[in-house]
Amino acid sequence: MARQLLFSGKGGVGKTTLACATAVRFAQAGLRTLVVTTDPASNVSDVFEQPIGEGPVPIRGLNGLFAAELDAESALRAYKARALAPLEGVLPEDVLRSLDEQMSGPCTSEIAAFDQFVARIDDQGFDRVVFDTAPTGHTLRLLELPGAWVTHIDAVAAVGGQTCLGPADALAASREQYERALESLRSPRSTAVILVTQAERTAIEETERAHAEMVSLGIAPRMAVMNGRIPAEVADNAFARARRAMQDEQIAELSRRVPIPIVEVPLLDSDVTGIKTLERLGDHLAPLLELAAV
Amino acid sequence: MITLLPSSSLPPSEAAVADRQPAARIRPSGAGPRRVFVTGKGGVGKTTVACATAVWAADQGLRTLLVTTDPAAHIGNVLEAPVGDGVAPVEGVRNLWAVRIDAKVTTAAYIQAVLDEASLRMGAEGIARLREELASPCTEEVAVFQRFLDLLLADAYEVVVFDTAPTGHTLRLLELPLSYERQLQAKVWTSEESRAVDAAQTERMRCAFEVMRDGTRTSFVLVVYPERTPIAEAGRAWGELDGLGIRTAFVVCNQILPEEALSNAFFRRRRSMQLEHLESIGATFPGVPVLPLGQRTGDVRGLDALRDLAWELYGEASIQDRSNERRKAGG
């Protein structure tokens, strides 16, 4: 029985809506639940139709449901500042500019966000915690390397420029915190990772890749969710029937590529906003809820 | 079909109208080849739009090169013709050549070159970290774009279409005076040879930037689909390029439900939602034309399907005709 759920998948597949829908069900079952997002555009405030902020803030209309936004942009700024400050005057100006740019990409943003996220794993203040994102294998492997935790400035300078990680003592979390977090991610009693995808070629290829990568790190994703499934009852024209048949094939293809159950979640006729709409999605999420013994 | 254009209180002049037509942004404008970069997140339809664009340009009589990074099996299915690692004509389409750049092989070679150089001054632990850092998707973008540079700067074709584009981050990295490899040597950077290599690289990038910033020579085409997250992500990508002086020529909004799908209230409501998102794209990309593209029943395969798609994007109806269509449709 997992206390925390992580939703993994490429941008736009529906991680945030599914995370929120699952959290609504947990809260309705009487579990004190927190939704955590690191999305810089934070869809969670749109989905719940209220401002969120660093939080945790209570969600209006449902007792026991809370949300928190980890501010990824300020985490990145702080991370870069910590990384580069010790190198001012040690490395030439143009190298520093190069380092700053090296650390301005999506990978470093992810490391900075994960650094904050590590603090939230196994948060005992809640019965269930749902994350609408998951670290990539790349992030986890980088942080696993011994060099990630070196704090000696000379060692850093000798290694010279870095890409995603940056000079090491920028990490705010300790090695111990990181190892506990990784252990939690690997333990089915603590965490369930769910891969979210859609019936589209590159999404499925990405899902297969993410699955293999996580397995190689000792994290076993438990389920895949195929989002955006055309309901049979609306496939009353040739176009919709053809697309639904194509989705059938994509689901079969996915099941050949990943050895985990696939849950289908239907396409809705509107954007998902508000608790009522989230409840409609929740009707289809029973297998996910079972992972967390609900 | 609705084409959303930036709002204006004055009717556009004829020259401005002709300039904004997407077809005009694919044809060369007289100052050498036209480069077209098709950009967007995975799964939006970049390869399909790039292939359709290349076939269309070739059909206009323009000597066209399609540069793809898609896996060989898939691009072969889309064009229903084989595409290889060397530039070769595409069967069935006059004036069209294609070349496939294997992103994995290109990246592996790039990584090996960096590691070989680094092993001269790093121990095993440093190399292990470097190897992992180089495993990021950012490395692939840098490596692939380095391969693109030769094709970007060449002038053997009238139109060159790339089915992927560098991000703002990749371009800024490459614009900096020190390439990745060189800044590892920062403390011992004294050799004439390394300075010469770096100067050549810097010059190449400067030329490339000049071409990319010139809207008469390069068009960046951004592909999205009508949902909040992809639009927000595309908006950020556009902002990054804009910050480098690189404009987006037009946005293609893919996956729009066609009329034939609207047989029930469910799909009519979805279409309504899509149209709202289409409108919001106008706000996210001020001043950039937005073209809707209809959803297909499956992967686009074959020249007929590609030409059908190209007609939807570049069919020669003028902007005025499209405005009339929109008024008639009550939009």
Side-chain angles (χ1 to χ4, degrees):
Chain A
M1 182 223 83
R3 283 192 58 259
Q4 56 203 8
L5 262 59
L6 273 69
F7 287 84
S8 173
K10 70 183 190 79
V13 291
K15 296 187 293 290
T16 300
T17 37
L18 290 173
C20 293
T22 310
V24 162
R25 283 290 153 133
F26 288 156
Q28 286 172 338
L31 297 164
R32 189 176 155 84
T33 304
L34 174 67
V35 179
V36 182
T37 181
T38 56
D39 180 353
S42 188
N43 291 331
V44 173
S45 51
D46 288 335
V47 171
F48 285 127
E49 297 173 318
Q50 67 171 80
I52 309 286
E54 205 185 304
V57 299
I59 298 301
R60 294 192 279 259
L62 186 46
N63 276 339
L65 181 58
F66 298 81
E69 290 169 0
L70 300 190
D71 183 343
E73 278 166 18
S74 80
L76 178 61
R77 273 197 304 274
Y79 183 82
K80 283 208 290 187
R82 285 196 298 271
L84 296 174
L87 299 176
E88 302 277 342
V90 174
L91 292 176
E93 190 54 44
D94 44 10
V95 177
L96 288 172
R97 277 173 51 212
S98 178
L99 286 177
D100 188 276
E101 187 54 53
Q102 307 264 356
M103 296 180 75
S104 298
C107 297
T108 318
S109 298
E110 210 190 89
I111 285 160
F114 186 64
D115 198 25
Q116 282 196 338
F117 167 105
V118 162
R120 301 246 174 203
I121 286 194
D122 289 335
D123 185 336
Q124 298 301 318
F126 295 91
D127 298 320
R128 297 290 183 277
V129 183
V130 182
F131 296 86
D132 75 347
T133 183
T136 59
H138 175 57
T139 300
L140 294 172
R141 283 192 311 265
L142 260 177
L143 292 170
E144 228 180 357
L145 290 166
W149 306 94
V150 167
T151 56
H152 199 274
I153 294 282
D154 286 345
V156 165
V159 172
Q162 333 269 312
T163 50
C164 308
L165 187 56
D169 42 347
L171 292 167
S174 69
R175 176 164 208 145
E176 292 69 37
Q177 279 178 305
Y178 174 74
E179 281 175 358
R180 275 200 302 276
L182 194 54
E183 205 180 288
S184 174
L185 286 174
R186 286 176 171 146
S187 162
R189 278 197 305 282
S190 302
T191 305
V193 173
I194 293 153
L195 303 175
V196 185
T197 191
Q198 295 202 350
E200 187 276 315
R201 182 183 63 95
T202 57
I204 286 171
E205 285 168 359
E206 171 54 30
T207 304
E208 182 186 19
R209 193 205 58 77
H211 179 267
E213 192 174 54
M214 287 200 186
V215 166
S216 75
L217 284 158
I219 299 170
R222 307 282 278 282
M223 271 177 194
V225 173
M226 173 70 77
N227 205 5
R229 185 75 163 119
I230 295 171
E233 61 271 19
V234 303
D236 62 7
N237 61 69
F239 182 86
R241 276 193 297 273
R243 281 203 64 91
R244 196 178 140 85
M246 180 203 67
Q247 289 187 334
D248 289 339
E249 278 170 34
Q250 299 282 21
I251 290 169
E253 182 60 31
L254 181 63
S255 70
R256 283 189 286 271
R257 293 179 184 224
V258 294
I260 53 179
I262 299 171
V263 174
E264 297 175 27
V265 172
L267 197 60
L268 297 185
D269 60 1
S270 66
D271 280 326
V272 182
T273 46
I275 298 208
K276 287 271 174 299
T277 320
L278 289 169
E279 281 176 351
R280 286 169 61 196
L281 277 183
D283 290 342
H284 303 268
L285 299 178
L288 270 70
L289 302 173
E290 271 162 41
L291 289 176
V294 171
Chain B
M1 184 173 65
I2 295 170
T3 299
L4 299 176
L5 299 172
S7 64
S8 168
S9 52
L10 295 170
S13 71
E14 274 199 29
V17 163
D19 198 46
R20 273 200 239 126
Q21 288 194 30
R25 301 307 299 272
I26 306 299
R27 290 204 174 90
S29 61
R34 169 73 70 178
R35 291 82 168 174
V36 181
F37 282 97
V38 184
T39 167
K41 287 287 180 178
V44 292
K46 272 182 305 200
T47 295
T48 312
V49 170
C51 288
T53 302
V55 168
W56 181 86
D59 285 348
Q60 305 309 305
L62 298 163
R63 197 179 150 84
T64 303
L65 175 67
L66 170 68
V67 183
T68 182
T69 51
D70 236 36
H74 188 254
I75 193 70
N77 285 331
V78 174
L79 289 169
E80 282 177 349
V83 174
D85 295 345
V87 175
V90 173
E91 281 170 26
V93 188
R94 284 192 59 199
N95 304 311
L96 183 60
W97 284 259
V99 62
R100 186 184 157 257
I101 291 175
D102 187 324
K104 299 281 170 272
V105 166
T106 302
T107 306
Y110 178 83
I111 288 174
Q112 198 52 55
V114 174
L115 289 174
D116 285 348
E117 204 165 27
S119 65
L120 300 176
R121 56 193 52 79
M122 275 186 187
E125 194 177 288
I127 291 288
R129 269 196 64 195
L130 187 55
R131 188 186 298 274
E132 187 50 57
E133 285 165 13
L134 289 167
S136 93
C138 301
T139 308
E140 182 173 304
E141 284 189 17
V142 168
V144 165
F145 188 66
Q146 294 278 24
R147 284 289 306 275
F148 279 4
L149 279 180
D150 290 335
L151 299 165
L152 172 68
L153 296 172
D155 59 6
Y157 297 87
E158 294 175 275
V159 179
V160 183
V161 183
F162 298 87
D163 77 350
T164 186
T167 59
H169 172 58
T170 303
L171 292 174
R172 284 194 308 269
L173 275 180
L174 291 168
E175 188 183 22
L176 291 164
L178 292 178
S179 63
Y180 180 93
E181 305 91 290
R182 297 304 163 199
Q183 50 99 26
L184 286 175
Q185 301 170 38
K187 290 187 151 180
V188 293
W189 187 46
T190 52
S191 79
E192 277 303 316
E193 190 187 82
S194 61
R195 267 204 285 270
V197 169
D198 222 66
Q201 159 74 354
T202 304
E203 181 56 21
R204 237 159 74 98
M205 277 311 300
R206 194 195 62 76
C207 289
F209 263 106
E210 212 176 277
V211 169
M212 286 188 291
R213 284 174 179 139
D214 181 350
T216 66
R217 288 191 281 171
T218 303
S219 295
F220 273 71
V221 174
L222 226 150
V223 186
V224 295
Y225 57 89
E227 285 186 26
R228 186 180 43 214
T229 303
I231 291 171
E233 285 184 347
R236 284 195 287 274
W238 171 79
E240 294 237 322
L241 291 174
D242 201 67
L244 285 165
I246 293 172
R247 309 289 165 230
T248 298
F250 55 91
V251 173
V252 174
C253 184
N254 204 359
Q255 309 298 346
I256 300 293
L257 285 165
E259 291 299 321
E260 52 181 312
L262 308 182
S263 61
N264 56 54
F266 178 90
F267 283 113
R268 283 194 291 271
R269 281 195 294 267
R270 275 200 68 83
R271 170 84 123 111
S272 216
M273 180 184 77
Q274 289 188 331
L275 292 181
E276 276 172 32
H277 282 301
L278 261 179
E279 296 278 351
S280 82
I281 293 176
T284 310
F285 303 91
V288 179
V290 182
L291 307 188
L293 187 58
Q295 189 176 62
R296 267 66 186 164
T297 54
D299 277 351
V300 172
R301 284 182 179 219
L303 296 174
D304 288 346
L306 287 170
R307 284 176 168 131
D308 180 65
L309 209 143
W311 171 253
E312 215 174 306
L313 291 175
Y314 308 118
E316 293 286 28
S318 72
I319 284 178
Q320 280 312 114
D321 288 349
R322 287 173 176 184
S323 300
N324 288 337
E325 261 183 63
R326 187 180 173 189
R327 271 196 292 279
K328 273 188 259 170

